[in-house]
Amino acid sequence: MSNKQADFIIAANRLPVDRIVHPDGTQEWRTSPGGLVTAMESVMQDRTGVWVGWAGEAGEAPEPFTTEGGLDVQPVSLSEREFRDYYEGFSNETLWPIYHDVIVEPTFHRRWWASYRTVNERFARAIAEVAAQRATVWIHDYQLQLVPALVRELRPDVRIGFFNHIPFPPVELFAQLPWRRHLLRGLLGADFVGFQRTTDAGNFTRACRQLLGTSNKGDVVTYQPGSEYAHNKTATNPSGVLADEDPRVVRCAAVPISVDFTGLEALAKTPAVKARAKEIRTSLGNPETVLLGVDRLDYTKGIRHRMRALTELFQDGEITTPSTTMVQIATPSRERVAAYRELRTQVESLVGRINGDHAGLGSTAVHYLHQSYPREEMAALFLAADALLVTPLRDGMNLVAKEYVACRHDLGGALVLSEFAGAAQELTQAYTVNPHDIVGMKQNILRAINDDPQDRRARMRSLRRRVRAHDVHSWAHRYLAAWQQPPKSLSACDTRPWSRPMTPSAPAVLLTALRAFADQPHVLVAVDFDGTLAPFTDQPMDARAVPGALEVLIDLSALPQTTVAVVSGRDLASLRILTGHPDDLVLVGSHGAEPSWDSTAEGHRLTSAEQNALNALDNDVEELRSQHPLARIEEKPSARVLHTRGLAEALAADINAAGMALADRHEHFTVTAGKDVLEFAVANVGKGPALLDLAQEVNAGAILFAGDDTTDELAFECLSADDVTVKVGLGETKALYRVGNELAVVEMLQELLTLRHQSVAR
Ligand code: GDG
């Protein structure tokens, strides 16, 4: 073991180095330049750091060494048997499927679990030996979930963070694991547990509450080590309580990972890479359209679904060879695991069938490459592709999507992205698809290829802005900042408006209004989304409609002469995702600027003056973002939104003030302040005019509109006294009626469904 003690330790299953053996027999360790290494370089600048991990070869571990890039590494050994049981077995055949929605069935073996524990203990000892007093220890990923608690036991002086690169499953799936409590206790040894998405953090805290009986407040889990045995009273422990340790307070939050934007962009700008991109297109026969897929050959990546969509596109004649061709890089992965071998057979048979049916002499439909390539070649492929298809069924983040965006400095290309990849929460300007919906996927692939080049460039510009602002350096620094942040106090959660007393309209009064409305010949029922159908969440894409909400809307829309719309400030793409792409509902996004019913207005094409105004605003917004890294900026096609939800009051006020100062400088924008949001809209439409337009379009004589926010107030003002306007929650309102919360909205709509049903049956 090394005598070196470090104040910053990274622990990951794999060291970021590969052994290179030269023809003359000499060898060297070369750093494999992954995102994590780049991120760590930027946080290790003023510290002494050591990376603890497996060197990639079974057997005795090499002695600690320093790589040619100056990275100190502390190898941990794995025997051949441990590689099979701990890595291939427990990590990849037990945990991986459970953590990815059980796409394939997990396998449970006690021997694998024993090996996982042994290897985690070995990692913990290696960390404890190299950690200086009060060192910072950052442990990565699902292979090492027991390590935080094991390190804490050996070295209570160190500060421990954990980052989970893959999703954390809902407790219903996680609970299948026979060792579920051990894993949670292992993770709760950390001071801070980071996840890719807030849903993952939420799944984890829920699992802790349900399986360990922790008390959770906001983003903090308070855990009394041993207390879960309360469920397990025994003769030697009649009270069932072993709580002789102090309670532990663990913060859990989402800190989504990213890529080295600047490095990738620079690589893609090198003459060699640009020339190679051209060469690739030439070698493919200079097709009009090159589609690309780059994935580890893993069943989570949705390669089969993608191939099915492609097969149908060729069958339908929507795409043909030689003008369109697909390149699928399927990097070899976990090749000794049965599910991966089976996947390879299936993918290769699908590719074979597509080529058999649709390729010609000298023109291939799918170029399938089961190999890995140097990063320069990857960058060239990204530059050569007109669309990248990223269609996982479940993915923690998906770095390939972000790498593609970072490489497209020419603003070319288009990103087709599964809504089940963590990246979809940030990359909202991608062509979002549900990989299970082959029809939708086909449509979006065609849109990505055929959309107006201007629109495609605008999307790419916006995607690039996002990835540039949230690159891997900012990820690492945000992680460290979040780790140091004091726990969010619960008082922020307790002040949700509808937990205070309120006076909803008397049921009889509302019922009378609903009855009169239901009797109108043709009606428009419209509701806002956030705060009306779905409770607010810290991360906008985590919002979910309360149970029954979407169902009752769809049932209403099935009735004759009843149009149902969801009218929101969100952009149309995210609204589609959050409502589940229902065909029967009309969706109106961006405060009316993106009505799904009017394809000419969809996406609201900006005039060049509007685009210039937006660009000027973006420069100032970037400035604001650099001064206030915790401010969240949402980009909509025709607006920018400053979110301060979940931030400390003083900080939110500062950010708001900075936002208002921007409003003064950018007078072309309509600035609307909502709940913890400030929206700058260049296209001045508004929910009120959008509702009136829609009512006219469908010939509705009466409108019911329910909403909770300031922008809804403006809509209430536009409607007449014969319409039914419903305020949700507390606060001053111009609406005629009021209900308490989202669940009360559902009850009201169910009442309306019954009344409307009776009315149309008469
Ligand atoms: C896990 C989570 C999360 C692939 N083939 C080649 C190659 N790659 C590189 C890609 C990318 C990386 O491998 C793959 O990263 P992904 O994010 O796409 O997927 P996972 O391997 O499943 O990673 C995932 C990630 O952790 C980080 O937190 O995003 O959700 O599952 O960087 O470019 N690189 C080279 N040649 C190849 O052939 N050079």
Side-chain angles (χ1 to χ4, degrees):
M1 287 278 171
S2 152
N3 295 326
K4 245 185 202 165
Q5 297 252 301
D7 59 16
F8 193 80
I9 321 280
I10 309 289
N13 170 61
R14 191 71 168 79
L15 286 173
V17 288
D18 294 312
R19 190 200 295 265
I20 310 288
V21 182
H22 297 292
D24 63 0
T26 57
Q27 60 167 37
E28 62 170 317
W29 288 95
R30 195 167 290 165
T31 316
S32 30
L36 211 49
V37 182
T38 320
M40 293 312 128
E41 275 167 3
S42 76
V43 296
M44 277 193 202
Q45 267 162 9
D46 309 318
R47 322 167 194 238
T48 51
V50 171
W51 193 305
V52 177
W54 179 52
E57 291 165 8
E60 215 172 295
E63 285 300 308
F65 59 93
T66 305
T67 65
E68 47 166 32
L71 181 70
D72 287 328
V73 300
Q74 177 78 40
V76 172
S77 68
L78 282 191
S79 66
E80 189 58 55
R81 176 76 180 255
E82 283 167 344
F83 178 72
R84 273 206 314 274
D85 292 354
Y86 142 80
Y87 180 72
E88 292 185 323
F90 197 76
S91 299
N92 290 331
E93 287 198 68
T94 308
L95 294 175
W96 182 267
I98 291 257
Y99 282 44
H100 287 89
D101 287 358
V102 191
I103 298 166
V104 308
E105 207 177 316
T107 308
F108 304 119
H109 283 307
R110 280 165 282 184
R111 196 184 70 238
W112 291 356
W113 161 248
S115 179
Y116 184 84
R117 236 181 21 211
T118 307
V119 172
N120 272 242
E121 283 164 2
R122 191 172 305 141
F123 267 83
R125 282 196 302 276
I127 295 167
E129 281 182 40
V130 292
Q133 271 297 309
R134 287 185 293 282
T136 298
V137 179
W138 190 353
I139 300 158
H140 290 264
D141 230 359
Y142 63 105
Q143 302 93 348
L144 303 181
Q145 291 176 92
L146 302 179
V147 174
L150 293 167
V151 170
R152 180 161 300 284
E153 231 174 272
L154 296 169
R155 290 293 303 273
D157 59 297
V158 300
R159 296 172 56 250
I160 305 170
F162 182 91
F163 184 75
N164 203 48
H165 289 254
I166 66 173
F168 196 89
V171 61
E172 293 76 11
L173 296 180
F174 181 76
Q176 289 183 17
L177 280 162
W179 310 279
R180 57 206 184 176
R181 292 200 177 88
H182 296 76
L183 291 167
L184 294 177
R185 283 199 295 266
L187 290 169
L188 288 173
D191 301 294
F192 177 68
V193 186
F195 295 91
Q196 303 277 27
R197 304 170 307 157
T198 15
T199 315
D200 301 317
N203 286 345
F204 173 68
T205 54
R206 259 189 302 282
C208 289
R209 188 174 53 230
Q210 287 186 28
L211 298 170
L212 296 184
T214 60
S215 69
N216 303 352
K217 287 187 170 184
D219 59 356
V220 173
V221 172
T222 307
Y223 165 56
Q224 179 69 60
S227 63
E228 70 270 24
Y229 294 111
H231 304 299
N232 252 338
K233 294 178 192 169
T234 62
T236 49
N237 178 26
S239 68
V241 175
L242 300 175
D244 52 358
E245 285 181 51
D246 287 340
R248 294 198 29 70
V249 174
V250 182
R251 278 197 67 222
C252 314
V255 193
I257 198 168
S258 193
V259 298
D260 176 19
F261 184 93
T262 325
L264 285 162
E265 185 186 45
L267 178 66
K269 278 185 175 168
T270 56
V273 167
K274 290 203 273 189
R276 176 67 191 140
K278 283 210 179 87
E279 204 175 284
I280 289 173
R281 284 192 82 103
T282 310
S283 68
L284 294 171
N286 279 322
E288 274 167 40
T289 307
V290 176
L291 302 173
L292 176 66
V294 174
D295 313 81
R296 270 190 314 100
L297 188 47
D298 193 299
Y299 50 78
T300 59
K301 303 290 181 184
I303 305 173
R304 284 170 294 195
H305 294 64
R306 187 183 310 162
M307 289 304 160
R308 257 172 236 139
L310 204 69
T311 305
E312 290 194 16
L313 283 171
F314 276 116
Q315 277 166 355
D316 302 346
E318 296 279 8
I319 56 175
T320 49
T321 54
S323 59
T324 300
T325 193
M326 163 111 194
V327 177
Q328 174 64 55
I329 310 285
T331 314
S333 181
R334 306 175 191 170
E335 292 184 281
R336 299 199 309 192
V337 176
Y340 288 75
R341 285 204 304 268
E342 199 180 315
L343 171 75
R344 182 173 175 189
T345 311
Q346 289 171 346
V347 169
E348 291 180 357
S349 131
L350 275 169
V351 169
R353 199 169 315 151
I354 300 177
N355 280 333
D357 291 344
H358 303 286
L361 280 177
S363 66
T364 305
V366 181
H367 299 259
Y368 169 79
L369 302 154
H370 183 246
Q371 301 162 37
S372 49
Y373 291 91
R375 45 201 293 276
E376 292 73 14
E377 183 74 355
M378 301 297 275
L381 278 159
F382 287 150
L383 269 189
D386 297 295
L388 177 77
L389 312 186
V390 179
T391 57
L393 309 179
R394 178 58 74 205
D395 214 335
M397 174 55 59
N398 198 290
L399 295 180
V400 174
K402 291 187 171 181
E403 288 162 358
Y404 178 64
V405 166
C407 286
R408 293 315 301 244
H409 51 82
D410 58 348
L411 300 184
L415 176 63
V416 174
L417 179 61
S418 161
E419 62 193 71
F420 301 115
Q425 298 211 323
E426 298 172 77
L427 304 183
T428 51
Q429 289 300 303
Y431 292 89
T432 312
V433 295
N434 167 2
H436 300 282
D437 168 13
I438 301 291
V439 174
M441 189 148 57
K442 280 160 54 185
Q443 283 165 353
N444 273 292
I445 293 173
L446 290 176
R447 284 182 64 205
I449 303 171
N450 299 328
D451 262 6
D452 184 271
Q454 280 290 88
D455 289 351
R456 289 160 35 104
R457 288 171 75 79
R459 280 175 183 263
M460 187 52 78
R461 187 179 290 114
S462 153
L463 292 171
R464 285 173 57 74
R465 202 179 292 125
R466 170 74 205 187
V467 181
R468 183 189 284 118
H470 293 265
D471 67 355
V472 75
H473 303 289
S474 89
W475 167 72
H477 289 280
R478 279 171 59 209
Y479 184 94
L480 294 178
W483 186 346
Q484 276 143 24
Q485 213 173 298
K488 248 193 236 167
S489 88
L490 214 223
S491 58
C493 306
D494 284 341
T495 53
R496 278 167 48 107
W498 30 87
S499 64
R500 293 197 229 120
M502 54 193 152
T503 50
S505 308
V509 172
L510 187 57
L511 191 65
T512 308
L514 292 177
R515 191 169 288 132
F517 176 78
D519 283 339
Q520 298 297 316
H522 194 149
V523 296
L524 167 60
V525 180
V527 281
D528 172 39
F529 186 78
D530 298 277
T532 299
L533 294 184
F536 284 99
T537 51
D538 282 355
Q539 295 296 324
M541 287 311 285
D542 289 342
R544 292 291 174 272
V546 291
L550 295 170
E551 289 79 344
V552 71
L553 290 176
I554 289 169
D555 287 350
L556 266 167
S557 71
L559 295 177
Q561 311 225 297
T562 309
T563 304
V564 181
V566 180
V567 182
S568 162
R570 287 176 178 270
D571 64 31
L572 188 56
S574 52
L575 199 55
R576 281 203 170 109
I577 295 173
L578 293 174
T579 53
H581 297 257
D583 285 334
D584 311 317
L585 303 186
V586 177
L587 301 179
V588 181
S590 298
H591 298 299
E594 292 187 286
S596 67
W597 58 274
D598 180 358
S599 59
T600 56
E602 205 171 322
H604 184 83
R605 281 220 179 97
L606 298 182
T607 62
S608 59
E610 285 173 332
Q611 187 59 60
N612 289 343
L614 205 55
N615 293 345
L617 178 72
D618 278 338
N619 290 338
D620 282 358
V621 165
E622 277 309 326
E623 177 77 34
L624 183 148
R625 204 199 299 260
S626 63
Q627 283 161 7
H628 299 283
L630 290 176
R632 287 194 305 280
I633 318 283
E634 183 191 352
E635 295 192 1
K636 294 185 188 171
S638 56
R640 298 293 178 261
V641 192
L642 187 57
H643 290 269
T644 49
R645 175 161 299 280
L647 298 183
E649 219 170 284
L651 179 60
D654 277 351
I655 295 174
N656 227 30
M660 289 314 288
L662 281 193
D664 290 340
R665 281 210 296 285
H666 295 271
E667 52 192 28
H668 295 301
F669 286 81
T670 305
V671 181
T672 316
K675 283 183 187 141
D676 303 317
V677 295
L678 199 58
E679 171 142 3
F680 298 77
V682 69
N684 188 4
V685 184
K687 289 181 182 176
L691 279 173
L692 296 176
D693 278 354
L694 177 58
Q696 191 174 14
E697 173 73 14
V698 299
N699 213 12
I703 302 174
L704 176 147
F705 179 56
D708 67 299
D709 208 346
T710 331
T711 55
D712 303 319
E713 287 302 318
L714 299 174
F716 295 147
E717 279 179 22
C718 287
L719 303 188
S720 81
D722 296 334
D723 295 316
V724 182
T725 46
V726 185
K727 163 82 177 173
V728 185
L730 291 176
E732 287 291 312
T733 185
K734 296 262 167 51
L736 295 173
Y737 307 94
R738 188 195 293 275
V739 298
N741 58 22
E742 301 90 341
L743 293 171
V745 173
V746 176
E747 277 171 29
M748 174 186 79
L749 293 171
Q750 280 162 344
E751 192 73 65
L752 177 62
L753 178 66
T754 311
L755 293 169
R756 182 74 182 155
H757 205 274
Q758 290 163 355
S759 168
V760 295
R762 280 200 290 270

